[in-house]
Amino acid sequence: MEKKLEKATFAGGCFWCMVKPFDQWDGIEKVISGYTGGHVENPTYEQVKTGTTGHYEAVQIEFDPTVFPYDKLLEIYWQQIDPTDDGGQFHDRGSQYRTAIFYHSNEQKTLAEQSKLALAKSGKFNKPIVTKILPAAPFYSAEEYHQNFYQKNPEAYKKDREISGRDEFLRKHWK
């Protein structure tokens, strides 16, 4: 019997930093870096980084929900971001680096809303949770050099994460 894969799409700032946390689990078939939510068809990185296309840098995950359910993806997602920052993520500033969950079904929408509410009620943050929950929009794969960047360019990836402030924030709030 063929596996029935689903898609999950998350924007969490720089897409380089959003691949590895999802890429290491059974049931995750593929994690693609790309762009979504904007008004320009087939955008390039050069276009998106200007902040004028309306696109978010995002990852699209193909997963087997019988092995790795969507609510577990949400759990991982929240622990990669600052959900209280609507101006970008860490040192990456601008609309293209905002956070959002793009749902592909009513079930995903409900689960995302429930997880956002639970996070807001948890007291973990003293500011409002501003991550948007939006319907999935066309997703455009980023250029090949952006795909699996943490594997292809481990030193550059490590350096970028270190200077971004992301790891320090995550340790403080999630560990």
Side-chain angles (χ1 to χ4, degrees):
M1 194 167 115
E2 195 174 320
K3 288 187 268 191
K4 175 80 171 91
L5 298 180
E6 292 184 17
K7 290 181 180 174
T9 305
F10 301 122
C14 173
F15 49 35
W16 290 352
C17 294
M18 294 298 293
V19 174
K20 186 177 180 182
F22 296 102
D23 203 27
Q24 54 193 328
W25 302 96
D26 289 340
I28 305 298
E29 298 295 319
K30 190 187 299 184
V31 183
I32 303 165
S33 295
Y35 318 109
T36 193
H39 57 271
V40 174
E41 285 187 33
N42 299 308
T44 65
Y45 177 70
E46 293 302 316
Q47 291 172 305
V48 172
K49 78 177 186 178
T50 68
T52 61
T53 66
H55 285 291
Y56 294 72
E57 279 198 14
V59 291
Q60 189 162 84
I61 302 162
E62 290 184 18
F63 67 103
D64 181 342
T66 64
V67 178
F68 205 92
Y70 185 73
D71 58 342
K72 295 279 285 180
L73 290 172
L74 289 167
E75 198 176 300
I76 292 170
Y77 171 72
W78 291 118
Q79 294 180 38
Q80 306 311 309
I81 65 168
D82 176 354
T84 68
D85 186 348
D86 65 359
Q89 288 290 284
F90 313 105
H91 76 172
D92 292 312
R93 310 312 300 161
S95 61
Q96 68 275 32
Y97 297 115
R98 293 169 298 160
T99 61
I101 297 168
F102 293 89
Y103 59 87
H104 293 264
S105 67
N106 287 334
E107 180 188 15
Q108 284 188 0
K109 179 182 180 185
T110 299
L111 290 170
E113 288 171 343
Q114 289 171 347
S115 70
K116 181 178 176 178
L117 184 61
L119 181 60
K121 288 181 174 180
S122 73
K124 188 172 280 295
F125 297 97
N126 58 11
K127 295 189 280 188
I129 305 302
V130 297
T131 299
K132 290 181 170 56
I133 298 172
L134 303 167
F139 183 88
Y140 303 98
S141 293
E143 295 79 355
E144 184 55 36
Y145 71 92
H146 289 299
Q147 304 302 330
N148 299 307
F149 189 82
Y150 80 97
Q151 292 171 321
K152 293 177 184 172
N153 297 287
E155 290 306 313
Y157 170 77
K158 184 179 175 193
K159 185 176 182 186
D160 190 66
R161 273 197 79 111
E162 284 173 2
I163 64 172
S164 74
R166 184 183 293 260
D167 289 336
E168 183 180 329
F169 177 90
L170 300 180
R171 273 192 298 277
K172 180 180 176 189
H173 290 279
W174 294 107
K175 300 282 187 233

